Amino acid sequence: MKSFLIVILVVNMGKGLIQIDTRQIDLLSVELQSFPKQTQTAMYHALKRSLDQTKNEIGRIVPKEYVIKQREVKETFNGGINYPTKDNLNASLISTGKRLSFAHFPYKPADPLLAKMLQIRYGTPLKVKIKKRGGYKTISPKHGAFIASTGAKSADKTQYNVFRRLGKERLPIAPMRTLSIPQMITAEGMEEKIQSFALEKFEQRLEHEMNRAMDRIQDKMKGG
């Protein structure tokens, strides 16, 4: 029987790798080991199904921890789902993405004129909310954060963002950035949840597929 591997890989600004090595899972019954072709097919279906389930679960749990849309999380997997084949049971789920600007998150004051007035009169710093728990966090005054127009012409584009100056002059400026979505996925605590879910779903699906395979084998033997 060929070995196989599920890898959930986070790249491009991600900090690590989530890997579920299924070679250690001993779910194959003695009877099924006598039918390698059917077993290979059962594993193929189980891997394919559990990969989709894991992607959907990541899209569900990350927005529970971070102020990010489920759609944005799932989009980081575009082009990064490598499904198994019946001849090659290796599978991977790859999330890619750059560090997000503060425009992806709620910040206050959101009005650029009000923010500027409060900064000038009272030294009120900007605040941003990235995680669901803990509320808004103050952006350190040393960054010189300010709100400015992005120059977007279309109304459906981001009109304002939080910027910082790259030097002592007015220009150049650059958007302030925080975590990437891959970094959120591999954050402490999140990584363990994903590993546990992926392994559990794979085991459940493999058991289901093996039972179906065994039923078909038994029906065929009875019919023969």
Side-chain angles (χ1 to χ4, degrees):
M1 190 65 217
K2 294 181 180 179
S3 63
F4 56 102
L5 183 70
I6 298 178
V7 174
I8 301 174
L9 178 62
V10 181
V11 296
N12 191 8
M13 305 306 294
K15 76 176 180 106
L17 167 71
I18 301 174
Q19 180 169 301
I20 295 91
D21 189 343
T22 58
R23 286 174 293 191
Q24 303 303 318
I25 301 175
D26 186 18
L27 291 177
L28 300 181
S29 65
V30 174
E31 293 86 351
L32 270 178
Q33 289 184 28
S34 301
F35 301 92
K37 182 178 179 180
Q38 289 86 347
T39 302
Q40 188 102 346
T41 300
M43 288 184 176
Y44 159 74
H45 288 297
L47 282 167
K48 189 175 180 181
R49 178 66 172 166
S50 58
L51 210 62
D52 285 330
Q53 289 177 318
T54 300
K55 184 196 75 171
N56 290 334
E57 178 67 2
I58 293 172
R60 186 185 72 84
I61 65 174
V62 172
K64 284 188 173 184
E65 185 72 20
Y66 296 91
V67 188
I68 195 77
K69 295 182 176 66
Q70 185 176 123
R71 172 184 53 80
E72 292 180 289
V73 176
K74 289 186 176 182
E75 284 176 352
T76 67
F77 293 108
N78 289 347
I81 305 176
N82 300 311
Y83 289 107
T85 66
K86 292 183 179 180
D87 295 323
N88 182 0
L89 293 175
N90 292 334
S92 62
L93 190 58
I94 302 172
S95 169
T96 62
K98 298 179 180 179
R99 293 171 60 205
L100 301 177
S101 73
F102 287 171
H104 288 264
F105 306 94
Y107 55 82
K108 62 181 184 180
D111 182 273
L113 294 178
L114 176 61
K116 185 174 183 180
M117 181 193 73
L118 291 175
Q119 283 180 324
I120 293 174
R121 290 188 179 183
Y122 308 108
T124 304
L126 290 173
K127 295 184 177 182
V128 64
K129 186 175 184 179
I130 296 171
K131 301 188 75 172
K132 289 285 182 72
R133 299 179 183 178
Y136 284 78
K137 301 296 182 182
T138 299
I139 302 173
S140 175
K142 71 178 182 180
H143 295 302
F146 62 95
I147 303 172
S149 171
T150 61
K153 304 296 183 183
S154 177
D156 62 342
K157 301 295 183 182
T158 302
Q159 299 296 311
Y160 293 95
N161 204 346
V162 180
F163 292 86
R164 64 184 179 88
R165 304 192 194 283
L166 299 181
K168 294 182 179 180
E169 303 296 328
R170 288 187 67 253
L171 297 173
I173 62 174
M176 294 197 67
R177 298 186 180 277
T178 181
L179 299 172
S180 67
I181 291 177
Q183 286 175 316
M184 295 176 186
I185 294 172
T186 52
E188 186 176 354
M190 193 69 66
E191 184 174 343
E192 290 77 9
K193 290 179 183 178
I194 296 169
Q195 285 178 320
S196 176
F197 177 89
L199 192 56
E200 178 184 355
K201 291 302 175 183
F202 173 77
E203 289 176 337
Q204 291 175 355
R205 197 66 199 178
L206 182 56
E207 182 178 7
H208 172 75
E209 294 293 341
M210 289 195 303
N211 287 336
R212 289 182 60 190
M214 180 59 70
D215 289 341
R216 286 194 294 267
I217 291 169
Q218 290 176 345
D219 290 342
K220 188 175 181 179
M221 293 176 68
K222 289 177 183 178

